[in-house]
Amino acid sequence: SFLPLINQMGPQVHATLERPGFYPAGGGRIKIEIQPTQQLQPIDLQTGGEIQQRRAIAWIANLDQDIAVRELKVIAHKLNWEEDWLSIEQVNHANGPGNVVILEIQRDHVTEVFTGFGQLKRSAEAVADLAIRQCQHYLKSGVPVGKFLADQLLLPMAMAGAGTFKTLPLSRHTQTHIHLIDQFLDVHINVIEQTSQNMMIEIKS
């Protein structure tokens, strides 16, 4: 969700997941390759465009695969997703047990990601529901940028000196981020409430 937009701003960043890490054992490892740019370029995300692809992945490590099967069954039923949009990833080299469900909505201009993490005493169905609720809320809102991606885009857009995107109501973390950027960079960040579920963020030098 994040890196393709950063790449539109000028640099070329490629990430490779070499090994997943699940709490509490950890041990995850990601390789990042960066071709920098002299100046970040502004982007405009006022629309996400049409949905091109939907995908659900249930990652499972050192646990019964039936957990992933149950999670995908809930997703297929509640989101009415087709079977070929669903997949199971068995992790054979994780340091400990773990489970995560990842939903991806790929649109013309942006891809959003929603997750549900397995926890002790949390059923497979409840894990799937966590991701499903986030996904449904995002799709119903009609905005291109979800609340977590909105927080991540603020700093690179501010460094570019300009940018615009529509998003959901701001989290407290995002509000704090806006205030913090204002202390360090000579930019103005305007938040315009278009509807109760639609916020326009404008960044100007």
Side-chain angles (χ1 to χ4, degrees):
S1 175
F2 179 60
L3 292 185
L5 296 176
I6 290 296
N7 289 344
Q8 290 181 32
M9 300 178 77
Q12 292 302 300
V13 185
H14 179 71
T16 303
L17 177 62
E18 296 187 339
R19 182 176 62 228
F22 295 96
Y23 176 85
R29 185 168 61 209
I30 299 175
K31 179 181 179 181
I32 306 288
E33 298 174 89
I34 303 173
Q35 295 181 14
T37 186
Q38 290 294 322
Q39 174 63 44
L40 293 174
Q41 300 301 312
I43 58 174
D44 187 338
L45 277 174
Q46 297 190 49
T47 176
E50 297 297 320
I51 295 177
Q52 299 298 327
Q53 185 178 18
R54 301 169 178 84
R55 185 167 69 149
I57 308 171
W59 289 70
I60 197 86
N62 302 314
L63 293 170
D64 192 328
Q65 186 164 306
D66 181 63
I67 294 170
V69 172
R70 289 160 53 200
E71 290 167 342
L72 294 180
K73 183 178 180 180
V74 172
I75 291 166
H77 173 68
K78 292 194 173 182
L79 293 178
N80 196 29
W81 282 14
E82 298 176 13
E83 187 174 346
D84 60 357
W85 300 349
L86 317 173
S87 63
I88 295 173
E89 292 284 347
Q90 183 74 47
V91 182
N92 298 316
H93 52 291
N95 289 352
N99 166 235
V100 60
V101 168
I102 301 172
L103 305 182
E104 294 183 7
I105 303 292
Q106 181 181 333
R107 302 169 71 178
D108 291 329
H109 310 306
V110 64
T111 296
E112 265 296 359
V113 179
F114 311 95
T115 55
F117 287 92
Q119 292 184 11
L120 191 64
K121 298 183 179 180
R122 176 180 287 170
S123 70
E125 291 76 14
V127 172
D129 274 335
L130 287 172
I132 289 167
R133 288 197 299 269
Q134 296 172 54
C135 182
Q136 289 174 328
H137 182 54
Y138 168 76
L139 292 173
K140 184 178 180 180
S141 72
V143 300
V145 177
K147 66 176 183 178
F148 299 117
L149 183 57
D151 192 35
Q152 295 166 348
L153 286 176
L154 284 172
L155 182 57
M157 281 191 170
M159 293 174 67
T164 306
F165 62 89
K166 289 184 179 180
T167 188
L168 294 161
L170 306 187
S171 67
R172 292 186 64 183
H173 196 282
T174 299
Q175 294 174 45
T176 301
H177 197 178
I178 290 173
H179 177 73
L180 187 63
I181 288 172
D182 185 58
Q183 308 304 305
F184 288 90
L185 297 177
D186 188 21
V187 295
H188 301 285
I189 302 178
N190 299 319
V191 180
I192 304 166
E193 183 176 343
Q194 297 189 319
T195 71
S196 62
Q197 295 298 310
N198 189 327
M199 305 290 169
M200 172 81 83
I201 308 296
E202 293 181 340
I203 299 174
K204 299 179 180 179
S205 298

